[in-house]
C-alpha cells in the first residue's frame, strides 16, 4: 500500500513498538517513523505490557526499560495498551485475556497503570478487547474502562470491530454497546476487518478480530453515525495485517476501505483534544494504600495464570468449567467463547515452543 504514502494520504501512524525495537528495524522504516515523529503524527501502541496482570513482575520492568529507550529515539503523541492480561508470562508473546471485571477493582492494578504513566509522560489510553467469554464481561468491560478513565485520567481506544465481534457473538446491537462507554474519553478509534471461525461445541459461527479481511459494511455506517458525537476523538486507525494483502484484489479492497474512511472523516469537523493536564499524569489520583486494596492480588495473579495454563492444556470447554476459581465466573462463560480462547491459547503456545 505504498501508494497511500506516495499520495500523502497517511496522516498519522500508529506503531506497535514492542513487536520490534528500534535497533532491529530496517533503516528505511526508522526513517519513516522519524518523519511522522517530527511531524507530531506518531502514536505508540503496546501489545505486551499487560497492565492488568495482578502483580508487577520482571516482565513489566523489562518492558518499561525498553519503552524508555524507545522514547529517546522517537517522540510519540500518546501511548495505548490493551485491557486484559497476557496469556503467557513471556516477553513479546501471548494475547490479552479478559477479566471478570465485576470481580476486580481498578485499584487492584494501580501500580502497573501508574508505572506506565510515569514512564510515558504522555497521555495513556487503553483499548477495549474483542474477546469476551460471557455477556457479563461485555457489559462490565465498559464499566471497568470508565473507572480507569475517572481514577487514572486515561483515555479510551474504541475499537469498532472489537465491538462488532462482541455484538455478533452475544446477539447484541453494536450501538447499544458503544453507548455504554463515556464518549468524552474516546480519543482514538480503531477499525478493521476480521473473520469467522466455527465452534464445534456450540454449532455456530464465532466472529474474531483477526485483522485480515475487509471492513464490514455495517461498520462504515456505525462510524458515520457516531463520529460526530465523539467530540474529543483525534485519530482513526485502520488496521490490517500485511500477510492478508498479497493479492491485487485484497490490496484494491484495502485502498477502497481506506478511501471510504477518509470520505466519512472529511464529512465532520472533529475537535482536537487540547487537555494535556487532564490526560497526562496521575499525580492527582487518589491511590489506595496496598493494605486497603479490595482484592487479594496474589490469589488473583495465581488464578490468572492457572487459567492461562489451563487453556493450553484442556481438551474441551467443559474441562475448564469444573475447575475452581475465586476471581473468574467461568461456569457462566459461553462454551463457544471458551473454545475460541482454547484454540487461541494452544496456537500461541505452539508458535512459542
Amino acid at each position: 500500500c505504498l501508494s497511500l504514502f506516495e499520495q500523502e494520504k497517511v496522516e498519522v501512524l500508529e506503531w506497535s513498538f514492542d513487536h520490534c525495537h528500534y535497533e532491529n528495524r530496517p533503516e528505511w522504516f526508522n526513517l519513516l517513523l522519524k518523519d511522522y515523529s517530527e511531524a507530531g503524527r506518531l502514536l505508540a501502541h503496546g501489545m505486551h505490557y499487560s497492565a492488568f496482570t495482578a502483580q508487577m513482575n520482571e516482565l513489566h520492568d523489562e518492558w518499561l526499560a525498553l519503552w524508555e529507550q524507545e522514547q529517546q529515539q522517537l517522540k510519540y503523541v500518546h501511548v495505548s495498551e490493551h485491557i486484559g492480561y497476557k496469556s503467557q508470562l513471556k516477553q513479546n508473546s501471548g494475547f490479552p485475556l479478559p477479566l471478570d471485571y465485576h470481580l476486580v477493582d481498578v485499584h487492584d492494578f494501580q501500580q502497573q497503570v501508574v508505572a506506565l504513566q510515569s514512564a510515558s509522560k504522555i497521555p495513556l489510553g487503553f483499548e477495549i478487547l474483542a474477546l469476551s467469554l460471557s455477556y457479563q464481561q461485555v457489559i462490565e468491560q465498559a464499566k471497568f474502562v470508565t473507572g480507569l478513565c475517572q481514577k487514572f485520567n486515561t483515555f479510551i481506544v474504541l475499537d469498532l470491530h472489537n465491538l462488532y465481534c462482541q455484538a455478533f457473538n452475544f446477539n447484541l446491537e453494536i450501538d447499544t454497546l458503544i453507548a455504554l462507554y463515556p464518549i468524552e474519553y474516546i480519543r482514538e478509534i480503531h477499525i478493521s476487518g476480521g473473520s469467522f471461525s466455527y465452534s464445534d461445541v456450540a454449532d455456530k459461527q464465532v466472529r474474531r478480530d483477526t485483522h485480515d479481511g475487509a471492513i464490514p459494511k455495517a461498520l462504515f455506517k456505525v462510524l458515520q453515525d457516531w463520529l460526530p458525537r465523539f467530540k474529543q476523538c483525534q485519530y482513526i486507525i485502520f488496521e490490517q495485517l500485511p500477510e492478508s494483502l498479497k493479492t491485487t484484489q485484497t490490496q484494491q479492497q484495502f485502498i477502497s476501505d481506506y478511501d471510504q474512511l477518509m470520505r466519512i472523516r472529511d464529512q465532520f469537523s472533529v475537535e482536537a483534544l487540547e487537555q494535556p493536564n487532564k490526560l497526562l499524569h496521575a499525580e492527582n489520583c487518589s491511590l489506595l494504600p496496598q493494605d486497603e486494596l479490595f482484592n487479594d492480588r496474589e490469589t488473583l495473579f495465581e488464578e490468572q495464570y492457572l487459567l492461562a495454563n489451563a487453556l493450553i492444556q484442556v481438551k474441551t470447554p467443559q474441562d475448564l468449567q469444573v475447575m475452581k476459581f475465586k476471581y473468574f465466573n467461568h461456569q457462566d462463560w459461553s462454551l463457544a467463547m471458551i473454545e475460541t480462547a482454547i484454540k487461541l491459547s494452544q496456537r500461541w503456545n505452539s508458535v512459542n515452543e
Side-chain angles (χ1 to χ4, degrees), residues 160-329:
L160 294 181
H161 189 261
N162 286 358
L163 292 178
Y164 182 84
C165 293
Q166 293 178 353
F168 180 90
N169 293 333
F170 292 96
N171 195 27
L172 300 167
E173 294 293 330
I174 189 170
D175 288 337
T176 302
L177 296 183
I178 295 174
L180 295 174
Y181 291 87
I183 60 175
E184 66 271 20
Y185 287 104
I186 296 171
R187 182 181 171 103
E188 180 179 335
I189 292 171
H190 283 187
I191 192 166
S192 66
S195 61
F196 291 97
S197 62
Y198 185 75
S199 168
D200 295 313
V201 69
D203 190 24
K204 70 173 189 177
Q205 296 272 41
V206 171
R207 182 69 181 184
R208 292 178 52 200
D209 185 48
T210 48
H211 293 183
D212 56 0
I215 297 173
K217 288 183 171 53
L219 282 188
F220 289 115
K221 184 177 187 307
V222 169
L223 180 64
Q224 186 155 1
D225 289 346
W226 280 92
L227 186 58
R229 305 182 220 183
F230 298 153
K231 299 298 185 183
Q232 306 300 328
C233 181
Q234 283 186 286
Y235 307 105
I236 301 171
I237 302 298
F238 179 19
E239 302 175 297
Q240 188 156 345
L241 294 173
E243 53 263 35
S244 68
L245 296 170
K246 292 183 177 179
T247 68
T248 300
Q249 181 180 359
T250 56
Q251 292 169 10
Q252 290 175 344
Q253 181 65 58
F254 179 86
I255 298 294
S256 175
D257 284 354
Y258 191 93
D259 287 342
Q260 188 164 353
L261 290 175
M262 292 196 73
R263 287 193 294 272
I264 293 172
R265 191 283 311 272
D266 290 343
Q267 293 176 25
F268 307 107
S269 176
V270 181
E271 298 175 11
L273 183 58
E274 298 292 346
Q275 302 177 43
N277 293 330
K278 179 181 177 184
L279 289 172
L280 188 52
H281 296 301
E283 293 173 353
N284 298 321
C285 295
S286 55
L287 304 186
L288 294 181
Q290 295 296 312
D291 59 356
E292 292 184 21
L293 294 178
F294 295 92
N295 294 301
D296 178 358
R297 291 180 302 129
E298 183 176 351
T299 300
L300 175 57
F301 177 78
E302 291 173 356
E303 289 193 352
Q304 284 180 329
Y305 287 97
L306 178 63
L307 173 62
N309 288 327
L311 288 170
I312 295 172
Q313 297 169 6
V314 298
K315 295 182 179 180
T316 69
Q318 292 86 344
D319 293 340
L320 186 74
Q321 288 191 312
V322 300
M323 299 177 68
K324 293 184 179 180
F325 293 102
K326 177 181 179 181
Y327 292 107
F328 293 104
N329 255 359

Side-chain angles (χ1 to χ4, degrees), residues 58-97:
E58 64 277 4
L59 294 182
H60 290 109
D61 295 335
E62 291 173 10
W63 192 98
L64 290 170
L66 290 169
W67 172 225
E68 295 264 18
Q69 294 174 20
E70 180 73 18
Q71 292 178 94
Q72 293 173 11
Q73 302 294 332
L74 295 166
K75 180 181 179 181
Y76 290 92
V77 176
H78 69 216
V79 60
S80 58
E81 249 287 354
H82 294 82
I83 296 296
Y85 73 99
K86 277 179 55 174
S87 62
Q88 294 186 334
L89 277 174
K90 299 177 182 177
Q91 200 65 268
N92 299 332
S93 178
F95 64 97
L97 285 166

Side-chain angles (χ1 to χ4, degrees), residues 126-169:
F126 290 101
E127 178 184 348
I128 62 172
L129 292 188
L131 180 63
S132 289
L133 301 174
S134 68
Y135 167 81
Q136 189 167 27
Q137 284 186 356
V138 171
I139 303 304
E140 295 292 336
Q141 179 176 218
K143 296 178 183 178
F144 186 82
V145 170
T146 301
L148 281 173
C149 294
Q150 294 171 344
K151 297 293 184 182
F152 301 110
N153 299 333
T154 56
F155 65 88
I156 296 171
V157 178
L158 193 74
D159 191 309
L160 294 181
H161 189 261
N162 286 358
L163 292 178
Y164 182 84
C165 293
Q166 293 178 353
F168 180 90
N169 293 333

